[in-house]
C-alpha cells in the first residue's frame, strides 16, 4: 500500500467521522439471538441535570470498555442508555428559571445525549428511555395497580419530614441541620397518609439471596445485610400499672429481663398521648416530644445525640418478677426499629447505663461474666457480653444462651410473650407531594373508598406537560386534575394527588431496556428471559443500599407478577470510586469541577477516556491530575506516529509469524506481543484493572519503538503482528483512534467486528528465567537460567556462585529452599 504522509493526529475529524459512521450503520443496535451467548452490561443511568461530569466520564468509559471487549469475544452485547428523569431537583430548577420541568428535563436530555455521543460510547440508542415519558410510567402505574390487588401496596398514616417551601416529604437523609437540603428552610414533622410498598414481606428472601451475590463487593453485601437488620429474640407485654394498656417490647437479650429498672418509649410511640393525658407531667412531656422531633430532623441516622428523657408519670409491670418500673419518653429510642419501646437494662446496655446514671435510676446486675468472680462493686460501664444469670429467679445460674431459650419458653407458657423475629427494614413509603413524578393511579370516593383507575384509562398523565409554558404546581393544588368521577359508582371523586418516589422508576428500568418499545405490557417475557440478569452493573457505592435494594425487591415483585423468571437483577456489580480534585470530590459547591466537554474539545474523547481508565483502578478514587491528561495525549500521539512510520509492515501477507529463523530482537518482540495479549486479557477478565492493561500496552509500544527505531530492520510479520495487537488491545479504550489507524493500514473489516486476539503460550514463554538467590533471606545474587532448569541444578548453580560462596564464608548449608521459577534461599 502507498504510505500516507499525513502524521498529524486530528482527533476532531477522526472522532466525528467514526461517530457518524457508527450511527449511520447502527453498529451497536442488537436484537435477541438465541444462537448467540448474550452479555448485558449497564451503567446506572443518569439524572439529566444539564451536563455530564468527570464521574459520568469514568463510569461510562468503564462500561464501554467492557461492552466493546465482550463484543470482540463474540458475545451478543446489550449496552443501553436512558434517563432517570423525574424528581424534585428538576422541579426546583425549573421553578427557579420560570420554565416547565418538562422543558428543563428534555432540553437537558438533548444536551447530555450529544455529550455522551461525543464520547464514542457504544450504546444501542434505539433502546433509549426517559422515565418521565408516559410510555414508560404507564407501565409503572399498571404494576402499582397489580401490586395493590395482591395486597402489596397499602395506605397508612405516618409522621414525615415536611418542607412547606417545597411542599413535599423529605427523606431523613434530605434533612440537614433541621433544614431542607434544597431550599434550606426549616423542616417540620407532619402526620399524613401515604402509600407504602410491602418490602418487609420479602425481607427474608432479600436477606437470604445475598449469599448468592458472589459477583458483588463484600462491603455492599454487608451494607444491605445490616440495612435489613434481622434480629431474633423475645416479644412480650408489660402491663401499664392500673390501666388496660400494654406496652409490647422486643429484645434480643431476654436473659437480662430481670435487670429491667425502667421502660423507654420513642417520642412517636402511639401510647404516649394516652399515658400522659391528665397527669402532672403532661405539659412537660408534650414539650419534650416536640423538641425531640425537631432534634431528630437536625441529626443524621449515623449521629448519636446526647441522651435525654422525661418521666411520663406512669409505671408498667415486669411480667417476669411483678416489679413496677417507671416509663420514660427517651430521645434515643427509634420508632422505626422493634416496637418503639425498650425494656431498659442499664447494667447490660451502655445506652441504658448512660441514661440511668444521668437520671439516677437503679442499675441491677443480672449477668455475671464467666471469667469474673461474683461481686457487688459499683459498675463503671455496662457489661454487654454473655455470662451466667444472677438474681434472676428460677433462671439464676443458667448461661446466657440457655437462659434465652428458657425465658422465651416461659413467656409463651404464661401467655405474655413469644419468640419473635424483627427487622430494621421498614416498608417503603413511596408517596411524594410534588408535581414532577409518576401520578399514583387511584381515585378516592366517599362512597366506594379507594378505587383503582381502570387499566384501559392508563396512563394517568401529568397535566400541562404538552404546554412548555403551562403550570406545574403540586397536584394537590390543581383542581382540574384532582376533580373527577368515580369509575365504580359514577359519583364525584378526588384523584390521588401524590406522585411516586423516583426510586420506583429506577427500580425496574434495567428490565424495560429488554423491550423498551413494547406497547402491550411492561415487559416482553421472552426478551427479558434472554437478556436478564444484568451480567455487569456499574455505579457509585453511594447507591449500595437504597437503589440496589429496591431494584432487588422490584425484581422479585415482577417475578411474582409473572413478568420475569429471575430472582436477582444484577449478576456482577462494580462500584467505581469518585473523582477527586484538590482533596475532595468534584462538585459545583466546592468550585473544583472540571468540565469534560472542555477536555474533549482540547484533547479529544479518546484521550479523556484513556486518562480516566489509566489514572486508577476502577474501584479506587481517581485523583484529578492535568498532567495525566497530557500524558495520555502524548502516548496516543506516539502510537499514531509509530503506525504511520511503519505502514509498510501492513502488506498483503497476513500469515502466521514463523519463529524458526528470527533474530534475538525479533524473537523478543514476538514474545512481548503475546505476553501483552495475556496480560491485558487477564487484567480485564480478573478485576477490570484497565490501568494495568494500558500499562502493558505502553510497554509493548516502547519495545516496538526500540526494536523498529532508527531504521532498524524487523521481520515484517513480527512488526505487523505487534502493531495490529496494539490497535486491537487499545480499541475498547480508545475506539475512534484505533478504528482510524486500522482502516489506514488497509483493513477492510472494522475493529468492532474483529475477534479479541488470543495469545500463544509457547510464544509468550521466556527463553530464560531470572532467579533470585538469597543467603539467610538476604538477596546476594541473581542467576540467568533456562526455563526448564531442575531444582537440583538450581541448588548446584547457587552454591557454586562466587558471591554466594563469599557470603557463606565456609559454612555448611543447613537448608536450601527453592521457590519454583523464582527464588533460591540458602540457610546457613
Amino acid at each position: 500500500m502507498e504510505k500516507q504522509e499525513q502524521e498529524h493526529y486530528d482527533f476532531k475529524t477522526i472522532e466525528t467521522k467514526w461517530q457518524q459512521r457508527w450511527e449511520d450503520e447502527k453498529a451497536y443496535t442488537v436484537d435477541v439471538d438465541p444462537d448467540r451467548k448474550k452479555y448485558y452490561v449497564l451503567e446506572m443511568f443518569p439524572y439529566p441535570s444539564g451536563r455530564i461530569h468527570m464521574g459520568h466520564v469514568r463510569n461510562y468509559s468503564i462500561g464501554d470498555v467492557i461492552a466493546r471487549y465482550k463484543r470482540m469475544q463474540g458475545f451478543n452485547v446489550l449496552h443501553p442508555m436512558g434517563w432517570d428523569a423525574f424528581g424534585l431537583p428538576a422541579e426546583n430548577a425549573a421553578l427557579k428559571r420560570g420554565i416547565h420541568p418538562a422543558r428543563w428535563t428534555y432540553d437537558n436530555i438533548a444536551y447530555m445525549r450529544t455529550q455522551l455521543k461525543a464520547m464514542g460510547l457504544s450504546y444501542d440508542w434505539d433502546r433509549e428511555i426517559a422515565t418521565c415519558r408516559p410510555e414508560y410510567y404507564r407501565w409503572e402505574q399498571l404494576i402499582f395497580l397489580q401490586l395493590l390487588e395482591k395486597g402489596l401496596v397499602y395506605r397508612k398514616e405516618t409522621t414525615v419530614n415536611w418542607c412547606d417551601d417545597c411542599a413535599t416529604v423529605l427523606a431523613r437523609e434530605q434533612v440537614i441541620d433541621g433544614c431542607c437540603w434544597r431550599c434550606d428552610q426549616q423542616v417540620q414533622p407532619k402526620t399524613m397518609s401515604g402509600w407504602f410498598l410491602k418490602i418487609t414481606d420479602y425481607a427474608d428472601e432479600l436477606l437470604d439471596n445475598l449469599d448468592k451475590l458472589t459477583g458483588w463487593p463484600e462491603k455492599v453485601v454487608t451494607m444491605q445485610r445490616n440495612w435489613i437488620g434481622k434480629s431474633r429474640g423475645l416479644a412480650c407485654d408489660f402491663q401499664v400499672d392500673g390501666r388496660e394498656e400494654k406496652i409490647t417490647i422486643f429484645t434480643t437479650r431476654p436473659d437480662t429481663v430481670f435487670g429491667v429498672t425502667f421502660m423507654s418509649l420513642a417520642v412517636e410511640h402511639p401510647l404516649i398521648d394516652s399515658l400522659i393525658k391528665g397527669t402532672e407531667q403532661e405539659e412537660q412531656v408534650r414539650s419534650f416530644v416536640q423538641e425531640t422531633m425537631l432534634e431528630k430532623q437536625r441529626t443524621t441516622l449515623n449521629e448519636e445525640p446526647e441522651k435525654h428523657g422525661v418521666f411520663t408519670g406512669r409505671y408498667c409491670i415486669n411480667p417476669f418478677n411483678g416489679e413496677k418500673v417507671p416509663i420514660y419518653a427517651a430521645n434515643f429510642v427509634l420508632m422505626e426499629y422493634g416496637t418503639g419501646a425498650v425494656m431498659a437494662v442499664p447494667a447490660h446496655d451502655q445506652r441504658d447505663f448512660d441514661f440511668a446514671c444521668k437520671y439516677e435510676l437503679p442499675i441491677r446486675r443480672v449477668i455475671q461474666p464467666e471469667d469474673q468472680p461474683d461481686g457487688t462493686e459499683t459498675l463503671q460501664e455496662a457489661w454487654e457480653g454473655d455470662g451466667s444469670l444472677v438474681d434472676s429467679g428460677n433462671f439464676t445460674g443458667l448461661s446466657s444462651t440457655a437462659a434465652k431459650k428458657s425465658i422465651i419458653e416461659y413467656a409463651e407458657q404464661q401467655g405474655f410473650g413469644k419468640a419473635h423475629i424483627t427487622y430494621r427494614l421498614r416498608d417503603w413509603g413511596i408517596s411524594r407531594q410534588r408535581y414532577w413524578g409518576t401520578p399514583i393511579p387511584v381515585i378516592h370516593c366517599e362512597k366506594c373508598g379507594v378505587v383503582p383507575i381502570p387499566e384501559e384509562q392508563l396512563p394517568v398523565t401529568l397535566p400541562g406537560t404538552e404546554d412548555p409554558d403551562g403550570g406545574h404546581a403540586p397536584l394537590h393544588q390543581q383542581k382540574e386534575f384532582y376533580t373527577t368521577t368515580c369509575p365504580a359508582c359514577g359519583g364525584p371523586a378526588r384523584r390521588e394527588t401524590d406522585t411516586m418516589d423516583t426510586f420506583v422508576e429506577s427500580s425496574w428500568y434495567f428490565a424495560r431496556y429488554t423491550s423498551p418499545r413494547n406497547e402491550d405490557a411492561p415487559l416482553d417475557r421472552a426478551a427479558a428471559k434472554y437478556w436478564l440478569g444484568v451480567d455487569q452493573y456499574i455505579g457509585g457505592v453511594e447507591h449500595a443500599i437504597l437503589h440496589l435494594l429496591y431494584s432487588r425487591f422490584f425484581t422479585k415483585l415482577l417475578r411474582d407478577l409473572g413478568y420475569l423468571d429471575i430472582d436477582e437483577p444484577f449478576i456482577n456489580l462494580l462500584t467505581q470510586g469518585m473523582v477527586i480534585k484538590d482533596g475532595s470530590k468534584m462538585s459545583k459547591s466546592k468550585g473544583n469541577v472540571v468540565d469534560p466537554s472542555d477536555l474533549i474539545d482540547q484533547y479529544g474523547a479518546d484521550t479523556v477516556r484513556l486518562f480516566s481508565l489509566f489514572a486508577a483502578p476502577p474501584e479506587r478514587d481517581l485523583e484529578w491530575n492535568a498532567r495525566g491528561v497530557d500524558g495520555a495525549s502524548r502516548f496516543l500521539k506516539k502510537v499514531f506516529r509509530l503506525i504511520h512510520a511503519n505502514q509498510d509492515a501492513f502488506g498483503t501477507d497476513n500469515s502466521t509469524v514463523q519463529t524458526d529463523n528470527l533474530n534475538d530482537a525479533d524473537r523478543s518482540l514476538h514474545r512481548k506481543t503475546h505476553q501483552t495479549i495475556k496480560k491485558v486479557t487477564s487484567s480485564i477478565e480478573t478485576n477490570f484493572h484497565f490501568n494495568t492493561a494500558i500499562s502493558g500496552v505502553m510497554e509493548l509500544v516502547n519495545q516496538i519503538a526500540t526494536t523498529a527505531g532508527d531504521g532498524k530492520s524487523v521481520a515484517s510479520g513480527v512488526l505487523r503482528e505487534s502493531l495490529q495487537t496494539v490497535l486491537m488491545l487499545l480499541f475498547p479504550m480508545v475506539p475512534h483512534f484505533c478504528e482510524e489507524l486500522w482502516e489506514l493500514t488497509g483493513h477492510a473489516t472494522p475493529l468492532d467486528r474483529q475477534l479479541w486476539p488470543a495469545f500463544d503460550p509457547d510464544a509468550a514463554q521466556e527463553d530464560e528465567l531470572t532467579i533470585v538467590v538469597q543467603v539467610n533471606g538476604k538477596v546476594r545474587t541473581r542467576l540467568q537460567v533456562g526455563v526448564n532448569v531442575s531444582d537440583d541444578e538450581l541448588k548446584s548453580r547457587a552454591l557454586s556462585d562466587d558471591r554466594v560462596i563469599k557470603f557463606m564464608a565456609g559454612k555448611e548449608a543447613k537448608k536450601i529452599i527453592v521457590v519454583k521459577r523464582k527464588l533460591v534461599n540458602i540457610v546457613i
Side-chain angles (χ1 to χ4, degrees):
M1 62 181 289
E2 183 179 348
K3 183 175 179 178
Q4 294 191 17
E5 297 299 327
Q6 175 58 268
E7 296 185 12
H8 172 62
Y9 173 33
D10 182 2
F11 61 81
K12 289 186 177 180
T13 300
I14 291 170
E15 291 175 359
T16 300
K17 166 188 169 180
W18 285 101
Q19 288 164 17
Q20 190 61 54
R21 184 176 298 186
W22 294 330
E23 186 167 341
D24 292 344
E25 295 178 355
K26 290 188 175 293
Y28 305 113
T29 299
V30 292
D31 292 305
V32 170
D33 185 348
D35 295 329
R36 294 177 65 194
K37 190 174 181 180
K38 67 90 181 180
Y39 192 89
Y40 185 177
V41 57
L42 180 65
E43 306 94 62
M44 294 179 185
F45 66 167
Y47 162 69
S49 59
R51 303 179 77 86
I52 64 171
H53 52 68
M54 284 303 298
H56 289 131
V57 170
R58 190 183 192 199
N59 191 10
Y60 304 147
S61 295
I62 290 168
D64 198 52
V65 173
I66 297 170
R68 291 180 182 277
Y69 170 72
K70 289 297 181 180
R71 284 192 198 95
M72 294 180 77
Q73 288 192 314
F75 287 91
N76 188 26
V77 175
L78 174 58
H79 189 207
M81 174 49 70
W83 312 96
D84 190 8
F86 270 142
L88 187 60
E91 196 166 338
N92 285 346
L95 183 65
K96 184 177 179 180
R97 290 161 178 80
I99 60 175
H100 196 282
R103 171 182 284 184
W104 164 257
T105 300
Y106 291 130
D107 285 352
N108 287 349
I109 287 174
Y111 187 85
M112 293 176 70
R113 185 191 300 116
T114 300
Q115 287 185 297
L116 294 181
K117 288 187 175 182
M119 286 180 60
L121 302 166
S122 58
Y123 292 131
D124 180 353
W125 284 104
D126 286 352
R127 293 176 183 265
E128 180 184 11
I129 60 175
T131 60
C132 62
R133 293 189 181 279
E135 55 265 33
Y136 181 86
Y137 69 71
R138 68 171 289 194
W139 301 117
E140 192 169 299
Q141 292 174 337
L142 176 63
I143 292 167
F144 177 94
L145 294 178
Q146 291 171 338
L147 295 176
L148 181 64
E149 185 178 2
K150 290 175 69 73
L152 290 167
V153 179
Y154 65 95
R155 196 163 181 255
K156 72 170 184 177
E157 280 199 345
T158 184
T159 301
V160 298
N161 297 314
W162 177 261
C163 175
D164 274 331
D165 279 33
C166 295
T168 193
V169 172
L170 299 177
R172 183 80 172 268
E173 295 79 6
Q174 294 172 319
V175 180
I176 301 172
D177 295 329
C179 296
C180 173
W181 68 310
R182 282 286 165 188
C183 68
D184 204 34
Q185 296 303 305
Q186 183 72 41
V187 173
Q188 299 293 333
K190 183 175 182 179
T191 300
M192 60 191 309
S193 294
W195 291 95
F196 289 78
L197 292 178
K198 294 185 72 174
I199 190 172
T200 52
D201 278 15
Y202 288 79
D204 277 326
E205 187 181 0
L206 287 166
L207 190 62
D208 294 342
N209 280 10
L210 288 172
D211 293 332
K212 300 178 182 179
L213 302 180
T214 56
W216 285 37
E218 185 57 37
K219 66 178 180 181
V220 175
V221 172
T222 299
M223 290 168 75
Q224 292 222 352
R225 196 182 306 279
N226 292 340
W227 188 264
I228 296 168
K230 184 175 184 178
S231 299
R232 290 179 170 86
L234 167 71
C236 74
D237 296 329
F238 281 59
Q239 182 79 44
V240 177
D241 186 36
R243 297 173 66 90
E244 294 183 356
E245 296 100 331
K246 295 178 181 179
I247 298 173
T248 300
I249 62 96
F250 169 79
T251 178
T252 60
R253 294 295 306 269
D255 54 323
T256 67
V257 72
F258 285 86
V260 174
T261 60
F262 61 98
M263 177 70 67
S264 300
L265 300 184
V267 294
E268 306 96 331
H269 197 287
L271 283 182
I272 283 186
D273 192 61
S274 63
L275 289 177
I276 64 174
K277 194 169 184 179
T279 67
E280 294 179 2
Q281 287 82 8
E282 180 175 4
E283 185 176 341
Q284 182 185 5
V285 174
R286 291 196 188 282
S287 177
F288 175 78
V289 167
Q290 184 66 24
E291 290 172 4
T292 302
M293 297 285 282
L294 292 173
E295 178 188 44
K296 286 188 175 185
Q297 294 165 358
R298 290 191 290 269
T299 58
T300 69
L301 286 169
N302 296 322
E303 289 178 327
E304 185 74 27
E306 183 182 349
K307 296 168 184 63
H308 296 290
V310 62
F311 178 47
T312 63
R314 300 290 183 184
Y315 294 81
C316 61
I317 308 300
N318 184 335
F320 287 89
N321 59 13
E323 185 173 343
K324 186 166 66 172
V325 296
I327 302 171
Y328 276 74
N331 68 339
F332 61 87
V333 181
L334 300 177
M335 194 65 213
E336 299 86 20
Y337 184 75
T339 65
V342 174
M343 64 171 213
V345 186
H348 304 294
D349 182 277
Q350 191 60 43
R351 292 185 313 167
D352 296 342
F353 183 89
D354 295 340
F355 191 90
C357 290
K358 183 171 184 174
Y359 292 100
E360 299 181 345
L361 294 165
I363 299 175
R364 181 185 307 137
R365 189 207 312 250
V366 292
I367 302 292
Q368 183 67 35
E370 300 290 354
D371 58 350
Q372 294 181 16
D374 291 344
T376 58
E377 70 278 2
T378 302
L379 290 174
Q380 300 302 311
E381 62 181 2
W383 168 254
E384 296 184 327
D386 288 347
S388 297
L389 271 66
V390 296
D391 296 330
S392 298
N394 294 334
F395 305 99
T396 296
L398 293 179
S399 69
S400 288
T401 301
K404 289 176 184 178
K405 183 173 183 291
S406 296
I407 287 173
I408 291 173
E409 289 175 351
Y410 177 79
E412 290 176 335
Q413 292 168 4
Q414 299 300 314
F416 58 73
K418 61 182 179 179
H420 187 64
I421 296 174
T422 191
Y423 301 86
R424 182 178 186 269
L425 182 68
R426 286 293 179 261
D427 282 339
W428 176 10
I430 64 168
S431 287
R432 298 295 181 267
Q433 294 67 41
R434 60 177 174 238
Y435 169 79
W436 194 234
T438 297
I440 292 177
V442 299
I443 285 170
H444 300 277
C445 173
E446 287 191 9
K447 179 180 178 182
C448 305
V450 174
V451 181
I453 297 288
E455 183 178 339
E456 62 272 14
Q457 294 182 19
L458 298 179
V460 178
T461 58
L462 290 171
T465 54
E466 302 303 320
D467 179 6
D469 298 314
H472 53 274
L475 297 181
H476 64 270
Q477 297 176 12
Q478 297 200 41
K479 188 174 182 179
E480 290 185 2
F481 172 79
Y482 64 70
T483 302
T484 187
T485 55
C486 176
C489 69
R494 181 184 177 92
R495 195 182 299 277
E496 174 63 68
T497 56
D498 284 357
T499 54
M500 294 190 206
D501 180 5
T502 54
F503 273 118
V504 178
E505 284 87 66
S506 62
S507 293
W508 71 286
Y509 79 106
F510 53 87
R512 181 64 180 175
Y513 276 139
T514 64
S515 51
R517 305 295 172 254
N518 188 348
E519 297 183 359
D520 300 320
L523 302 170
D524 179 281
R525 188 163 186 172
K529 187 171 184 177
Y530 176 78
W531 289 115
L532 293 172
V534 177
D535 294 277
Q536 186 63 61
Y537 198 38
I538 306 163
V541 73
E542 65 270 19
H543 301 293
I545 297 178
L546 295 183
H547 165 59
L548 292 173
L549 184 66
Y550 292 155
S551 296
R552 295 180 60 225
F553 169 48
F554 235 81
T555 297
K556 293 162 178 44
L557 292 177
L558 293 172
R559 176 201 63 195
D560 292 348
L561 290 175
Y563 294 117
L564 295 179
D565 297 287
I566 59 172
D567 299 324
E568 290 291 334
F570 312 122
I571 299 169
N572 296 291
L573 173 68
L574 173 63
T575 53
Q576 92 281 356
M578 298 183 294
V579 180
I580 305 295
K581 185 174 184 286
D582 303 328
S584 59
K585 179 183 177 181
M586 280 190 181
S587 69
K588 292 179 181 178
S589 62
K590 292 184 174 67
N592 63 350
V593 171
V594 175
D595 192 329
S597 295
D598 294 341
L599 289 176
I600 291 172
D601 287 343
Q602 183 178 354
Y603 293 99
D606 282 333
T607 295
V608 177
R609 288 170 58 123
L610 188 69
F611 163 74
S612 71
L613 295 165
F614 181 60
E619 73 277 7
R620 301 277 297 276
D621 289 344
L622 184 157
E623 185 73 38
W624 169 257
N625 184 343
R627 292 191 301 274
V629 184
D630 287 331
S633 178
R634 287 194 302 272
F635 171 68
L636 292 184
K637 290 175 181 176
K638 178 178 182 177
V639 175
F640 198 84
R641 291 192 299 269
L642 188 63
I643 297 291
H644 272 272
N646 293 283
Q647 287 185 60
D648 291 343
F650 295 87
T652 56
D653 181 12
N654 288 317
S655 58
T656 304
V657 174
Q658 300 300 315
T659 61
D660 295 344
N661 299 317
L662 295 180
N663 61 34
D664 288 347
D666 290 356
R667 187 181 302 277
S668 177
L669 180 57
H670 180 58
R671 181 187 307 117
K672 186 67 172 179
T673 298
H674 286 269
Q675 289 174 341
T676 305
I677 296 171
K678 180 181 179 181
K679 178 178 182 178
V680 171
T681 304
S682 175
S683 294
I684 296 175
E685 286 286 349
T686 305
N687 48 21
F688 300 133
H689 277 196
F690 308 118
N691 56 322
T692 59
I694 294 167
S695 176
V697 178
M698 288 177 171
E699 291 177 11
L700 176 59
V701 168
N702 289 338
Q703 186 158 336
I704 296 171
T706 300
T707 306
D710 300 327
K712 296 175 185 175
S713 176
V714 184
S716 61
V718 172
L719 184 56
R720 182 192 68 247
E721 177 192 49
S722 64
L723 292 171
Q724 285 185 161
T725 298
V726 168
L727 294 179
M728 295 181 82
L729 297 182
L730 282 178
F731 170 68
M733 292 86 163
V734 287
H736 319 82
F737 175 89
C738 292
E739 283 285 24
E740 181 68 14
L741 293 177
W742 189 258
E743 183 180 73
L744 172 71
T745 50
H747 297 86
T749 305
L751 269 171
D752 66 4
R753 297 181 199 166
Q754 300 289 333
L755 288 177
W756 185 256
F759 77 94
D760 181 344
D762 293 333
Q765 185 169 308
E766 294 281 357
D767 291 336
E768 287 189 331
L769 299 174
T770 300
I771 303 297
V772 173
V773 181
Q774 298 176 338
V775 177
N776 285 346
K778 294 184 178 180
V779 177
R780 297 307 185 189
T781 191
R782 288 176 172 81
L783 304 175
Q784 297 299 126
V785 300
V787 293
N788 296 316
V789 67
S790 68
D791 287 357
D792 288 341
E793 186 178 351
L794 272 178
K795 293 177 183 179
S796 177
R797 288 278 303 275
L799 289 171
S800 62
D801 184 89
D802 290 341
R803 288 181 58 78
V804 172
I805 292 171
K806 173 185 174 184
F807 284 104
M808 290 182 67
K811 296 178 181 178
E812 291 292 325
K814 295 179 180 178
K815 186 191 297 185
I816 302 177
I817 302 167
V818 177
V819 179
K820 195 73 173 177
R821 301 172 66 88
K822 290 183 179 180
L823 178 144
V824 176
N825 183 22
I826 301 169
V827 181
I828 60 175

